Amino acid sequence: MHIIFKRSILLLNVLFLGCFKEEEVTNSQQISYESEIYGCTSPLSDNYNSEATVNDGSCAPTDCSKCDFFVSITNKKFGFDGEEFGVKPGDIICLDGSLTYKRPVLFKNIIGTPENPVLITNCNGTAVIDLPNLTYNIGTKNCKYFRISGSGDPTVKYGIKLSGVRSKGLDLNYLSSNFEVDHLEIFDIGFTGIMAKTDPNCDDETIRGNFTMRDVSIHDNYIHDVGGEGLYIGNSFYANGAKKECGQRLPHDIVNIKIYKNDVRNTGWDGIQLGSAVQGAKIYSNTIENFGVENRANQRSGIQIGEGTGGLCFNNIIKNGSGNGMTVLGYGDNIIFNNLIVNPKLIGVFVDERYSPGEGFKLFNNTIVNSGLEGIKVYAWNLKNEVKNNLVINPANIDAEGSNAYIDYGSNTETEANFFAMKIEELNLFNINKDDYSLTRDSPVIDEGVDLSSYGIDMDILGRKRPSGADFDIGAYEFQ
């Protein structure tokens, strides 16, 4: 067992956020938590509460009477064109659960407003779009201010089910922006469950500076048994883009994106991959299990924070995968905290500077158990990084690497109050046989951390007050 002891001086940092052509951004990183609000979450119910985030079972019965439009299975034209049908802000487009959809649904020109987005939802039960061997289930093109939600019928959790296709379950493509996606089940997909990006090409509308994807929320979805990534959001090659016949083309920025409360299981490649999200990115409260089952090099992380991506990654549970628990190639203003990572075959959290003009990576209060290689590895030599209050248990390469197996870092990285243990029994955790890694009153990591409240960290992975005692506990869980 080894502890890096506390020091009396804490460094306060102002974090740099990326700038981009359309506007200058100089705000400091802000950590904030969203409280759960219970109420009726079905937008087709008479007592719908637009502020509610958790369905409390109070919804009045729903039917299809509130639908302004239906996606027809007999429409001779491919897809649904909002401009052609006269869709207005606030309209509701329904997928009827009593119908059998036999071809992909492409939504084009669906334009709402910030105050009145267009809603695409299910009615009359679960809408199933199962399309064996076709390319995608649902796609969008030139859509803005809209929501795709499987919450139309309050009696089912995931009211839109997408399956069977060769490539993408949900493809949010060509200049689509300002959208919310929730309560979908996506499975048995050849490649990715949800893809959201417009790759740069010789159309100037698609390149950085001319298009920015903004205000995206992807939450409460169940994505499982897919051949590639569970969620593939944003372009992976922020720094250099792609070489086209018209020259080098840079991918668009993403500004303000939240990926949260998704259940992602059995992915061939990464569980969640986010790239090019230069400002306001948050990945939190997701559960990711059995990632990287294809064991393909560089495509097998629980979460990959790709080039150009800054922001926050917290309160995620990542278990059992062939690669790294997290691969962080981000902007360099990233704060990674309160995550539980169990049984990654490679590194628990791997940090590497690629396109990283920020001040430094921050890794705080993570619990990492049974990594195949190092618990934490930081390859960011040009930045001032901080690694504090992390609990690292039983890295497999301890014989080869010695103490570096817990945290491997350079002289530019400040480490403080991290706790290392070879035997998990030493930690007196609550019930590891049932995957409960919370602390008991006899745990040696209670009150052994340094105070990180200056960063806005005041809760643990379960949303409980931190600190609850004299000082911060080490790891993702705070003893109550």
Side-chain angles (χ1 to χ4, degrees):
M1 181 187 302
H2 175 63
I3 302 176
I4 299 178
F5 291 98
K6 301 180 191 178
R7 292 183 293 181
S8 60
I9 299 175
L10 293 177
L11 298 181
L12 305 182
N13 292 281
V14 178
L15 302 178
F16 173 80
L17 284 171
C19 299
F20 43 92
K21 293 181 181 179
E22 286 194 322
E23 57 187 290
E24 295 295 322
V25 179
T26 56
N27 296 332
S28 296
Q29 193 77 269
Q30 297 293 325
I31 294 178
S32 61
Y33 302 89
E34 298 175 1
S35 299
E36 299 282 24
I37 300 173
Y38 289 81
C40 175
T41 58
S42 174
L44 299 185
S45 180
D46 287 337
N47 61 325
Y48 171 54
N49 178 2
S50 62
E51 301 297 321
T53 59
V54 179
N55 189 0
D56 65 355
S58 66
C59 289
T62 63
D63 55 26
C64 297
S65 61
K66 285 186 168 59
C67 304
D68 298 294
F69 300 92
F70 292 88
V71 177
S72 172
I73 60 174
T74 60
N75 184 12
K76 294 181 179 179
K77 291 190 176 182
F78 180 76
F80 187 102
D81 190 324
E83 186 175 90
E84 178 182 335
F85 283 99
V87 173
K88 303 182 300 298
D91 279 346
I92 299 175
I93 304 169
C94 287
L95 295 160
D96 192 333
S98 68
L99 303 179
T100 301
Y101 292 90
K102 293 294 187 181
R103 57 183 180 179
V105 179
L106 176 64
F107 292 100
K108 298 187 294 184
N109 305 315
I110 304 294
I111 308 295
T113 64
E115 298 78 17
N116 292 292
V118 174
L119 173 64
I120 299 167
T121 193
N122 61 300
C123 71
N124 203 14
T126 302
V128 176
I129 305 179
D130 180 41
L131 305 175
N133 299 317
L134 295 183
T135 304
Y136 68 93
N137 298 97
I138 293 178
T140 66
K141 181 177 181 180
N142 193 37
C143 295
K144 191 172 184 179
Y145 301 117
F146 66 98
R147 176 187 179 191
I148 300 176
S149 176
S151 62
D153 187 331
T155 65
V156 293
K157 185 173 183 180
Y158 304 109
I160 298 175
K161 292 191 176 185
L162 311 179
S163 60
V165 297
R166 298 193 310 269
S167 186
K168 291 164 274 192
L170 176 61
D171 186 14
L172 299 146
N173 203 337
Y174 201 78
L175 307 181
S176 293
S177 182
N178 304 82
F179 54 81
E180 179 178 4
V181 176
D182 63 278
H183 295 92
L184 275 61
E185 181 178 0
I186 304 174
F187 61 99
D188 189 21
I189 304 294
F191 185 42
T192 187
I194 296 177
M195 180 175 284
K197 62 188 177 111
T198 297
D199 284 330
N201 56 50
C202 291
D203 180 350
D204 285 345
E205 284 190 283
T206 65
I207 64 173
R208 188 181 307 161
N210 294 337
F211 171 65
T212 298
M213 182 185 289
R214 298 180 181 277
D215 300 330
V216 173
S217 179
I218 301 173
H219 64 93
D220 291 286
N221 300 289
Y222 179 31
I223 301 170
H224 59 99
D225 299 289
V226 300
E229 293 90 352
L231 291 87
Y232 185 172
I233 314 299
N235 193 282
S236 301
F237 305 101
Y238 187 79
N240 297 317
K243 187 175 182 179
K244 302 291 183 180
E245 61 271 17
C246 52
Q248 204 72 19
R249 311 295 275 179
L250 297 179
H252 65 78
D253 295 319
I254 300 176
V255 174
N256 296 333
I257 179 168
K258 299 188 295 184
I259 301 172
Y260 64 101
K261 293 174 64 177
N262 298 288
D263 191 348
V264 182
R265 301 171 188 266
N266 306 326
T267 60
W269 294 8
D270 304 323
I272 296 174
Q273 178 178 314
L274 175 62
S276 302
V278 296
Q279 184 198 8
K282 294 183 180 181
I283 305 172
Y284 63 98
S285 300
N286 300 285
T287 298
I288 301 164
E289 291 195 34
N290 300 327
F291 55 90
V293 297
E294 295 292 330
N295 198 22
R296 180 166 175 169
N298 303 318
Q299 301 283 359
R300 53 187 173 182
S301 299
I303 294 177
Q304 177 167 307
I305 299 173
E307 286 185 12
T309 300
L312 310 176
C313 185
F314 61 99
N315 292 19
N316 299 288
I317 297 174
I318 303 170
K319 299 179 183 177
N320 304 329
S322 64
N324 303 325
M326 286 189 192
T327 298
V328 184
L329 315 173
Y331 208 89
D333 67 350
N334 308 75
I335 306 180
I336 314 297
F337 66 101
N338 285 354
N339 298 288
L340 172 66
I341 300 172
V342 181
N343 297 330
K345 286 293 180 64
L346 298 180
I347 301 167
V349 180
F350 175 63
V351 178
D352 191 6
E353 54 189 358
R354 297 288 178 88
Y355 180 85
S356 304
E359 185 175 277
F361 296 95
K362 276 71 178 170
L363 279 66
F364 300 146
N365 279 101
N366 300 290
T367 295
I368 301 168
V369 183
N370 298 336
S371 58
L373 297 175
E374 294 88 346
I376 296 172
K377 189 162 191 160
V378 181
Y379 270 1
W381 311 114
N382 298 311
L383 305 178
K384 294 180 180 180
N385 313 297
E386 298 179 53
V387 181
K388 300 178 180 180
N389 290 2
N390 297 285
L391 175 58
V392 182
I393 306 169
N394 190 34
N397 64 341
I398 186 70
D399 291 338
E401 296 292 332
S403 61
N404 285 342
Y406 295 101
I407 301 177
D408 189 357
Y409 60 95
S411 60
N412 61 319
T413 295
E414 179 188 4
T415 63
E416 194 169 0
N418 300 292
F419 194 102
F420 306 151
M422 273 303 299
K423 296 181 179 179
I424 197 168
E425 293 79 14
E426 299 174 1
L427 279 302
N428 293 312
L429 304 180
F430 192 80
N431 193 341
I432 59 175
N433 293 324
K434 293 187 177 181
D435 286 334
D436 187 343
Y437 295 86
S438 56
L439 308 180
T440 66
R441 66 178 64 256
D442 297 319
S443 174
V445 301
I446 293 173
D447 292 341
E448 291 296 326
V450 294
D451 189 340
L452 299 175
S453 58
S454 61
Y455 295 91
I457 298 174
D458 59 8
M459 292 186 181
D460 74 350
I461 189 173
L462 298 178
R464 302 176 302 188
K465 182 179 181 296
R466 189 195 287 277
S468 65
D471 213 332
F472 273 48
D473 297 344
I474 293 174
Y477 295 88
E478 184 81 10
F479 178 72
Q480 305 294 311

